[in-house]
Amino acid sequence: MKITGLITEYNPFHNGHKYHIEKAREVTGADFVIAVMSGNFVQRGSCAVTDKYTRAAMALSEGVSLVLELPACFATGSAEFFARGAVRMLRQTGVTDSICFGCEQASLPLFHEISAVLADEPEIYRRVLKSALSQGQSYPSARQQALSACLPALDIDSFLQSPNNILGLEYIRALNQEPGTVVPFPIQRIGSGYHDKTVTGTYSSATAIRREIHGKQISSSALEQLPPQAAAILKQQLADRGSLEIDRFSPLLKYALLSESAASLCRYQDMTEALANRIMNRLNDFISISSFISLLKTRELTYSRISRALLHVMLKLTDEDLSRALLPKNSCLRILGFRKDAGALLKELKQNCTVPVITKPADAFRILNSSALTAFEQDIRAAHVYETIMTDTYHIPFRHEYTRTPVII
């Protein structure tokens, strides 16, 4: 039995994701596909357009065998921690043979060459990085210069323009940090670029599709960018409950910031002293999350970094929480959904998984140790924050996370 793993957000699931699944099965010969998927909040420091159960159902309907939830501290973290958390989960299944990731330049030797520099940090890399940072450049820009200095024959600038390539590097680094037999397979992305904002052709970006979703409506052109079964699930979800965008959470974040000081803000993930001071100095100008991020942005502080830091404040995710989650003894695998025809996979998972498997959230109290339960409850809180805004926006009943069961298709 061959099993491949995908690291995903499916925000929302679209034709490009369907292609990724099909290509992953083709290049690996996989019998089953496991997707490690972000929950209700995502890596760019925002909320998902629709909830994790809907997105899991969309993925299962289009060929994924099993969906596991990536804990919030990893799902909303930098590329490094997003990758470390997801790769570790696939290792912990005890059944994953390979990992397939989409990228703009599907050359595994190239990924290995660049990741080796990041792992070793030769003297020239450290010197150029330090110099660029001292000149006030952002860390991504400084790292790009340092890599270019180490690998002058490569077009590093072009390579690092793609978030998918950056994540791919972190997947390779995460795989190299621990011994194992999980094999990486880069898959060439097709269609629109990651940042493209216009719905066009057959393979539009998730960014473009999200721009066509407003409240309970999605444009017909955007809906055509989704495979049929996934499209039907999303359309029904929007009709029944609706979608969310990050500014809906503005009152919650404003309240959270009013409860903090510059010093206390520094305990949250992705926060720096400079950003904390800037937040406190401009707090009176807070109108909405998106406008506040734009107000805080500087040459040194990227939009994504600020977005993640503010999200971590709202969700109360600290550096200490991340350190706790990184300890293997505090790990578990949360099943969001599975296909009925994946019985053989579930049997293998139960026999080989190296950490507790949570099917129903309420079982966590019985299965997890106290420290692991503390980490797990962060995901429960994040789900409840999302559900609170959903119910407040659309005046629908609140669904408590401890009553939820996996999606089965």
Side-chain angles (χ1 to χ4, degrees), residues 47 56 65 90 98 134 164 250 254 273 313 373:
C47 63
S65 310
L90 288 170
S98 59
S134 68
N164 293 297
S250 296
K254 180 65 178 289
E273 183 177 350
V313 174
L373 183 61

Side-chain angles (χ1 to χ4, degrees), residues 75-90:
T76 63
S78 65
E80 175 188 357
F81 293 111
F82 180 91
R84 282 181 63 181
V87 168
R88 188 181 69 176
M89 285 180 66
L90 288 170

Side-chain angles (χ1 to χ4, degrees), residues 253-280 283 309-310 312-321:
L253 177 60
K254 180 65 178 289
Y255 175 76
L257 292 174
L258 288 171
S259 305
E260 303 284 349
S261 65
S264 67
L265 281 176
C266 290
R267 63 196 172 110
Y268 293 106
Q269 285 179 240
D270 279 301
M271 189 66 69
T272 64
E273 183 177 350
L275 177 55
N277 287 326
R278 190 165 176 78
I279 288 170
M280 288 294 103
L283 189 54
L310 291 176
H312 293 145
V313 174
M314 187 179 77
L315 297 179
K316 303 298 182 185
L317 294 173
T318 67
D319 289 328
E320 182 181 352
D321 294 325

Side-chain angles (χ1 to χ4, degrees), residues 23 133 187 383:
K23 199 67 178 176
L133 289 173
I187 295 178

Side-chain angles (χ1 to χ4, degrees), residues 46-65:
S46 187
C47 63
V49 70
T50 190
D51 70 88
K52 58 191 178 185
Y53 298 100
T54 300
R55 288 162 31 241
M58 294 168 74
L60 293 168
S61 73
E62 297 294 349
V64 168
S65 310

Side-chain angles (χ1 to χ4, degrees), residues 182-202:
V182 179
V183 180
F185 286 88
I187 295 178
Q188 184 73 45
R189 291 184 77 254
I190 60 174
S192 300
Y194 180 91
H195 293 297
D196 286 353
K197 298 180 179 180
T198 304
V199 170
T200 182
T202 304

Side-chain angles (χ1 to χ4, degrees), residues 193-395:
Y194 180 91
H195 293 297
D196 286 353
K197 298 180 179 180
T198 304
V199 170
T200 182
T202 304
Y203 298 101
S204 293
S205 69
T207 300
I209 295 169
R210 286 194 299 271
R211 288 167 63 91
E212 298 293 316
I213 299 174
H214 303 285
K216 294 195 168 196
Q217 302 295 323
I218 178 172
S219 69
S220 58
S221 60
L223 201 61
E224 291 174 356
Q225 300 295 318
L226 279 59
Q229 295 181 86
I233 292 170
L234 178 60
K235 188 175 181 179
Q236 188 63 54
Q237 159 66 14
L238 293 177
D240 292 344
R241 289 174 64 80
S243 64
L244 288 181
E245 48 85 24
I246 194 61
D247 280 342
R248 291 284 186 181
F249 295 81
S250 296
L252 282 183
L253 177 60
K254 180 65 178 289
Y255 175 76
L257 292 174
L258 288 171
S259 305
E260 303 284 349
S261 65
S264 67
L265 281 176
C266 290
R267 63 196 172 110
Y268 293 106
Q269 285 179 240
D270 279 301
M271 189 66 69
T272 64
E273 183 177 350
L275 177 55
N277 287 326
R278 190 165 176 78
I279 288 170
M280 288 294 103
N281 290 336
R282 303 306 299 267
L283 189 54
N284 289 342
D285 300 314
F286 186 109
I287 298 175
S288 68
I289 292 177
S290 59
S291 64
F292 195 52
I293 296 170
S294 296
L295 190 66
L296 296 173
K297 187 180 180 302
T298 66
R299 184 185 179 192
E300 298 87 358
L301 296 168
T302 65
Y303 194 97
S304 294
R305 176 65 177 267
I306 298 168
S307 300
R308 290 196 302 270
L310 291 176
L311 182 59
H312 293 145
V313 174
M314 187 179 77
L315 297 179
K316 303 298 182 185
L317 294 173
T318 67
D319 289 328
E320 182 181 352
D321 294 325
L322 179 60
S323 297
R324 182 188 300 112
L326 285 167
L327 296 176
K329 68 177 183 178
N330 296 331
S331 300
C332 69
L333 298 183
R334 165 83 186 279
I335 295 178
L336 287 180
F338 57 87
R339 289 182 61 89
K340 293 177 182 177
D341 58 11
L345 170 59
L346 293 174
K347 181 179 179 180
E348 287 289 311
L349 179 68
K350 291 178 181 178
Q351 292 176 348
N352 294 281
C353 188
T354 60
V355 296
V357 177
I358 304 295
T359 304
K360 297 178 181 178
D363 292 341
F365 294 96
R366 175 177 54 84
I367 296 174
L368 302 180
N369 63 53
S370 60
S371 188
L373 183 61
T374 297
F376 183 77
E377 287 180 327
Q378 292 175 338
D379 297 320
I380 301 298
R381 182 172 64 237
H384 285 164
V385 167
Y386 189 95
E387 184 70 5
T388 295
I389 299 303
M390 180 66 79
T391 58
D392 183 65
T393 301
Y394 297 104
H395 309 292

